[in-house]
């Protein structure tokens, strides 16, 4: 048949960020990591974002190994 003309391909839809993350905390060495991300998502859910926490074992959810690694690198 031949190659598909790139101009005929559907364009991907860009999704807006679902939060207003302040990226300055990354530059300052602020609270970033597994637990910071979990707490940020809980805060967004409580504010009514409509998101849901992923079930353990589902794709994209933190694994047991991620929690073990996070405990090793925690600031005390």
């Amino acid at each position: 048949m031949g190659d598909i003309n790139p101009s005929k391909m559907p364009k991907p839809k860009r999704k807006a960020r679902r939060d207003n993350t302040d990226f300055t905390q990354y530059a300052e060495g602020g609270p970033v990591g597994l637990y910071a991300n979990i707490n940020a998502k809980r805060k967004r859910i409580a504010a009514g974002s409509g998101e849901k926490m992923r079930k353990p074992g589902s794709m994209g959810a933190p694994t047991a190994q991620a929690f073990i690694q996070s405990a090793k690198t925690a600031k005390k």
Side-chain angles (χ1 to χ4, degrees):
M1 300 254 357
D3 293 332
I4 297 174
N5 188 351
S7 65
K8 301 294 183 185
M9 295 291 290
K11 302 285 186 227
K13 293 188 171 125
R14 292 190 56 104
K15 293 183 180 179
R17 286 191 62 87
R18 61 179 178 240
D19 61 359
N20 54 352
T21 305
D22 180 19
F23 290 103
T24 57
Q25 66 183 357
Y26 295 100
E28 297 169 0
V32 294
L34 179 62
Y35 287 103
N37 291 337
I38 290 171
N39 289 329
K41 186 163 188 173
R42 284 182 179 159
K43 189 186 287 187
R44 290 193 310 265
I45 290 171
S49 70
E51 297 176 80
K52 294 180 182 176
M53 297 299 280
R54 290 191 172 118
K55 302 287 184 206
S58 67
M59 191 167 121
T63 60
Q65 185 62 34
F67 283 103
I68 292 169
Q69 184 65 30
S70 175
K72 289 180 185 176
T73 60
K75 295 178 185 176
K76 298 192 183 203

